[in-house]
Amino acid sequence: MKFQHLLALFLLLFISTFYPQTRTMLDPKVEAKIDSLLTIMSIDEKIGQLNQLAYGWGWGPSQAATVPDDYKRLIREGKVGSLLNAVGAKLTYELQKIAMTESRTRIPLLFGFDVIHGVKTTFPIPLAESCSWDLSLIEKSAAMQAKEAAACGIHWTFTPMVDIARDPRWGRIAEGNGEDPFLGSLITTARVKGLQGDDLSGDHILACAKHFAAYGAAEGGRDYNTVDISERTLRETYLPPFKAAVDAGAQTFMCSFNEIAGIPSSANKHLLTEILRDEWKFSGFVVSDWNSIGEMVNHGIAKDNKQAGLKAIRAGLDMDMETRAYSTYLKELLNEGSVPVSLIDESVRRILRIKFRMNLFADPYRFCDETKEAAEVANASQRAAALELAQSSLVLLKNTNNILPISKTTKSIALIGPLANNRKDPLGSWEQFGDTNSVVTVLEGLQKKLPDAKITYVQGCPINETGKTDFSAALHIANVSDLVVLVLGEEGHYSGEAASRSSIELPSAQSQLFREILKSGKPMVVVLMNGRPLAIPDLQQNAGAILESWFPGITAGDAIASALVGDFNPSGKLTVSFPRATGQIPVYYNHKNTGRPASETNHYSSKYLDISEKPLYPFGFGLSYSTFTYSNLTIDKKQIGLSESATIKVDVKNSGNYPASEVVQLYINRNPASVTRPVRELKNFQKITLQPNETKSVVFILTPENISFYNDKMQFGNEPGQVTIFVGTNSVETINGTVIISEKK
Ligand code: NOJ
């Protein structure tokens, strides 16, 4: 063992005594094993570790028999380090066996797959889950998804997607956690912990924080588009969830497709090396996005894949997903002297380190058990967890005159809309092997919950229809029923990758259907299924109730029906603002004040002539069947020093008639400060449950870190000034107090 390894061993033992999170630290024994592997590996075998190839698409025993010859050869020759999209215990066993018995170095393969919200058990989309604000439930969801993935051979998921998104035109908003960096960071931590567990043992798999970075800031909300943001916005808004991922021990990162200020992420040394490794001490590896190295040619910073590969490896990009630039050109670049072998070795080391941390050298077939696969995939406990998440993701946007919950004695319901009896779209995008046959529709859910009611269903219009439609059948059943439930929204694949929309209003036939059914004059509940916030001012004004269910996954109908009849009391809160119109985008709660904040009395202020500048539904918004009263906000000190904390207390009472959960939210504003600050920033929250008439005193500690920011010299820290503290049920309806931050104390 070399001296530096002994030293590292000593340090590791020393630090691990005080600091439990040692999995991000280097294990000298592993590093020594990697040293010896590097001495025996040929340059081709080293480059092979950096090469990730797609193994088509599909799942099942038949796949195993048909491993194509070129894959067999590449694995045998050690020219592939990882495969994506090879799924199934039997198939991954067949492939791994080639690596472990026929390759010279016996280095195990790493199997990656996009488990965005389940493999076969489709959970709600991540944006939906974020609206639960329930970190332990989100962690549980990630753990369940890891368990199902592990059962079918997958070591590594390309999740969590932690991109902050302020533009709902961008379809990938569905895969993330909304618009707020603070909440986004906490959810990222929960997902990483759920996926990886404490130490990647058991049924845990590797997480991959993506897309590094600022992919969500694409101009015009158009996927893959240009990003140009300041270092301040990058660090304050887009990077915090990635930093949280590193701190939570995420073992891998995926770089994004976009450029930032002229540099595509695959070539961005500032991001991949200076920030990720030097500042944050990340010790895992970075994979490119699909062909993102090759796309540097289109970006216009490389004349060919060879030059693109050179820029990528120099920036710190370790694994090449499907460009094949490394496998084709790295050896040439080495021989020409453009890439030192030490740079290749470093990337190989990072990848091997993760294979060791996954224990694949000792147990290469750990997820290749077909009996376990049969027992774990899409089983009852998976389904129960998916239901729990789908219920907790529901956001009640409107409930006039307590039209909800539906009385269990209701005699007749007209159930209308293209998503009311639909088994495909509730799965959303990235549904992978999600089984449409196992989807419970809203029709089925309501029939189960209200067996004595006459429920009549008419689709009303096709989901994406923009032309003329005959609404007479739908209007007829509305006219003859006591209540209308209209299930509207988007097609499942209208969000997700390459699914940007220029208009986020409802498809026109659905808007017309709504208008038409209004003519019945019947009480009307609208259930929404969609992968992004929608601009729905007509619904907001004229529907009786609106329940946002996002894409709830396979248990859609059960979750929605349980809330409609009051067996489950909705408690979700929006993690993205709903605009009034597409033209209002971007609209997000933590915006700046401007020098001329919108004012009704000042024409020359920052507003629109045709609509309000305010969102239709603000961040943090969500109703319950109960109501809550906030009172007695106290702050323990009037003034605190730069490194002191303040304790904030507030009383929250369930002033309604139902047991209910509430997300108590704490926001701050710093003013004056050396730089302009957002009008409100979420800094803490607690989800509590209260019985009718029960009051709880909720306590928050506001730490110096909570009120720190990048100052006018771009240094992160606290400074003297004043902080206004807002506590309430959403980002707008709050009670507040202030605290002075002073230099001394
Ligand atoms: C492209 C997507 O951007 C990324 O999120 C995904 O993980 C890869 N394809 C692999 O499927």
Side-chain angles (χ1 to χ4, degrees):
M1 205 185 266
K2 292 182 188 163
F3 173 70
Q4 60 264 45
H5 293 148
L6 272 174
L7 187 68
L9 180 61
F10 172 73
L11 277 174
L12 180 76
L13 286 172
F14 179 75
I15 294 170
S16 58
T17 318
F18 302 101
Y19 189 62
Q21 210 169 35
T22 50
R23 66 172 172 259
T24 53
M25 304 184 54
L26 304 190
D27 176 345
K29 284 194 203 133
V30 167
E31 299 304 308
K33 284 182 190 162
I34 297 173
D35 282 341
S36 35
L37 272 170
L38 284 171
T39 60
I40 63 152
M41 289 168 80
S42 69
I43 190 65
D44 290 319
E45 287 160 346
K46 287 178 180 177
I47 292 169
Q49 286 304 306
L50 315 187
N51 187 29
Q52 185 187 50
L53 296 179
Y55 189 86
W57 197 252
W59 186 10
S62 60
Q63 287 270 326
T66 59
V67 174
D69 283 347
D70 49 344
Y71 281 89
K72 283 188 183 154
R73 180 181 54 76
L74 288 169
I75 299 169
R76 207 176 281 135
E77 291 174 1
K79 290 192 172 153
V80 53
S82 170
L83 289 171
L84 75 148
N85 301 341
V87 179
K90 184 154 196 259
L91 173 61
T92 53
Y93 176 79
E94 292 294 327
L95 292 161
Q96 193 70 296
K97 204 168 99 194
I98 305 172
M100 298 316 292
T101 59
E102 298 177 39
S103 79
R104 199 181 69 87
T105 52
R106 309 281 198 261
I107 296 176
L109 290 166
L110 195 60
F111 296 110
F113 190 58
D114 288 285
V115 187
I116 310 295
H117 51 129
V119 180
K120 192 158 184 179
T121 309
T122 313
F123 280 66
I125 55 170
L127 181 62
E129 289 194 0
S130 73
C131 292
S132 72
W133 296 55
D134 188 330
L135 300 175
S136 51
L137 209 51
I138 292 172
E139 182 178 333
K140 177 178 168 185
S141 167
M144 293 301 286
Q145 292 172 40
K147 198 172 186 185
E148 192 178 55
C152 40
I154 297 156
H155 303 137
W156 177 26
T157 170
F158 305 124
T159 44
M161 191 200 92
V162 307
D163 298 310
I164 296 298
R166 291 170 159 181
D167 190 334
R169 288 172 296 183
W170 190 55
R172 304 205 76 171
I173 198 169
E175 298 170 51
N177 303 313
E179 71 191 31
D180 184 61
F182 178 83
L183 179 60
S185 299
L186 293 174
I187 294 178
T188 298
T189 304
R191 290 200 205 278
V192 171
K193 276 162 69 183
L195 291 168
Q196 297 192 163
D198 287 335
D199 54 6
L200 293 166
S201 62
D203 297 321
H204 291 102
I205 64 175
L206 297 163
C208 179
K210 73 184 188 188
H211 307 82
F212 196 53
Y215 185 34
E219 282 178 2
R222 190 151 53 78
D223 209 0
Y224 318 116
N225 205 5
T226 307
V227 172
D228 198 347
I229 52 175
S230 65
E231 184 79 6
R232 174 180 306 284
T233 303
L234 180 68
R235 287 191 180 261
E236 290 190 345
T237 303
Y238 292 94
L239 292 190
F242 288 100
K243 172 69 165 57
V246 173
D247 292 344
Q251 297 292 308
T252 74
F253 263 54
M254 182 186 291
C255 76
S256 56
F257 286 120
N258 57 281
E259 68 163 78
I260 304 175
I263 315 285
S265 298
S266 307
N268 196 329
K269 192 169 183 180
H270 178 52
L271 277 179
L272 304 186
T273 299
E274 291 168 10
I275 294 182
L276 185 59
R277 266 91 184 214
D278 300 347
E279 268 184 51
W280 296 352
K281 312 292 175 215
F282 173 68
S283 65
F285 74 83
V286 182
V287 63
S288 76
D289 203 339
W290 184 289
N291 190 39
S292 70
I293 298 179
E295 287 176 15
M296 278 191 232
V297 175
N298 281 340
H299 275 292
I301 66 157
K303 64 176 189 298
D304 52 26
N305 281 0
K306 182 175 170 186
Q307 199 183 8
L310 174 64
K311 292 200 173 196
I313 192 92
R314 282 189 176 162
L317 183 46
D318 303 304
M319 188 180 275
D320 171 357
M321 182 194 284
E322 270 295 334
T323 296
R324 307 178 190 215
Y326 287 178
S327 57
T328 316
Y329 299 111
L330 257 190
K331 195 168 169 183
E332 225 171 289
L333 288 162
L334 175 81
N335 293 338
E336 287 167 5
S338 322
V339 173
V341 73
S342 58
L343 203 59
I344 297 174
D345 282 357
E346 189 49 42
S347 286
V348 176
R349 173 181 296 281
R350 292 177 186 140
I351 291 162
L352 294 181
R353 186 181 288 150
I354 300 309
K355 292 186 176 181
F356 274 108
R357 285 184 185 162
M358 263 312 273
N359 203 28
L360 292 181
F361 283 90
D363 191 4
Y365 307 109
R366 64 182 276 199
F367 295 155
C368 301
D369 179 341
E370 286 179 71
T371 318
K372 190 162 177 185
E373 178 179 47
E376 296 289 352
V377 174
N379 67 13
S381 58
Q382 287 286 344
R383 198 176 182 92
L387 176 62
E388 207 179 355
L389 265 301
Q391 288 175 318
S392 305
S393 304
L394 298 169
V395 185
L396 183 64
L397 295 176
K398 184 176 183 189
N399 193 18
T400 316
N401 302 328
N402 295 330
I403 167 173
L404 286 176
I406 299 171
S407 158
K408 290 200 175 161
T409 57
T410 302
K411 293 213 166 52
S412 56
I413 296 178
L415 180 67
I416 302 169
L419 287 137
N421 190 27
N422 178 325
R423 289 189 204 285
K424 182 175 144 280
D425 295 300
L427 297 180
S429 74
W430 289 110
E431 72 277 32
Q432 305 302 42
F433 299 98
D435 181 6
T436 48
N437 291 325
S438 69
V439 172
V440 179
T441 67
V442 178
L443 175 60
E444 289 162 343
L446 275 178
Q447 282 167 337
K448 279 193 249 174
K449 287 288 179 191
L450 301 172
D452 300 328
K454 179 167 184 259
I455 301 173
T456 322
Y457 160 73
V458 165
Q459 182 177 328
C461 67
I463 196 161
N464 274 329
E465 183 66 49
T466 49
K468 222 173 158 331
T469 304
D470 177 4
F471 300 116
S472 54
L475 184 58
H476 170 73
I477 64 161
N479 281 332
V480 298
S481 301
D482 298 335
L483 173 78
V484 177
V485 175
L486 201 52
V487 191
L488 305 176
E490 295 183 297
E491 194 183 310
H493 284 191
Y494 262 42
S495 55
E497 190 178 349
S500 296
R501 292 180 63 194
S502 70
S503 154
I504 61 161
E505 281 73 26
L506 279 174
S508 64
Q510 294 194 51
S511 303
Q512 285 169 44
L513 175 66
F514 172 72
R515 286 262 114 214
E516 202 65 20
I517 303 304
L518 271 182
K519 291 180 187 161
S520 70
K522 292 296 166 68
M524 188 200 287
V525 175
V526 176
V527 175
L528 291 173
M529 288 191 201
N530 41 289
R532 57 162 58 76
L534 297 174
I536 43 163
D538 195 13
L539 268 55
Q540 183 241 10
Q541 270 164 37
N542 297 307
I546 307 176
L547 181 69
E548 173 59 83
S549 75
W550 308 106
F551 288 122
I554 54 167
T555 65
D558 285 334
I560 290 165
S562 70
L564 291 180
V565 304
D567 288 352
F568 179 84
N569 188 354
S571 61
K573 302 275 188 176
L574 297 179
T575 56
V576 274
S577 308
F578 270 47
R580 289 166 195 272
T582 305
Q584 208 192 15
I585 296 169
V587 54
Y588 50 91
Y589 88 97
N590 46 358
H591 60 84
K592 299 292 182 71
N593 203 34
T594 81
R596 292 192 184 189
S599 149
E600 279 179 20
T601 53
N602 182 4
H603 176 72
Y604 294 98
S605 63
S606 183
K607 58 188 183 187
Y608 296 106
L609 293 175
D610 48 355
I611 52 168
S612 160
E613 77 292 346
K614 295 196 176 75
L616 189 68
Y617 292 110
F619 176 85
F621 182 84
L623 303 171
S624 158
Y625 294 148
S626 215
T627 50
F628 303 96
T629 314
Y630 284 68
S631 62
N632 299 329
L633 176 76
T634 61
I635 306 169
D636 66 334
K637 297 175 197 109
K638 287 200 165 54
Q639 188 167 316
I640 53 174
L642 290 177
S643 44
E644 258 187 295
S645 296
T647 302
I648 294 121
K649 276 195 195 144
V650 67
D651 290 339
V652 183
K653 179 177 178 188
N654 180 344
S655 39
N657 300 323
Y658 297 84
S661 293
E662 164 74 332
V663 181
V664 182
Q665 303 163 40
L666 182 145
Y667 299 85
I668 65 153
N669 167 247
R670 292 214 57 156
N671 182 8
S674 61
V675 291
T676 62
R677 301 301 306 154
V679 291
R680 289 189 181 195
E681 293 175 83
L682 181 74
K683 289 297 169 185
N684 214 330
F685 65 89
Q686 276 179 43
K687 190 163 187 177
I688 57 169
T689 299
L690 295 168
Q691 297 305 313
N693 275 319
E694 188 186 349
T695 300
K696 266 189 191 157
S697 213
V698 178
V699 180
F700 295 109
I701 310 289
L702 190 72
T703 65
E705 213 205 330
N706 287 157
I707 54 176
S708 293
F709 55 91
Y710 287 92
N711 65 15
D712 51 355
K713 298 181 187 65
M714 273 307 283
Q715 293 154 341
F716 187 79
N718 200 356
E719 66 178 33
Q722 177 172 301
V723 179
T724 307
I725 294 157
F726 308 87
V727 181
T729 185
N730 59 54
S731 61
V732 174
E733 295 170 78
T734 50
I735 52 177
N736 60 291
T738 55
V739 62
I740 305 290
I741 315 300
S742 70
E743 191 89 55
K744 301 214 183 69
K745 263 198 173 183

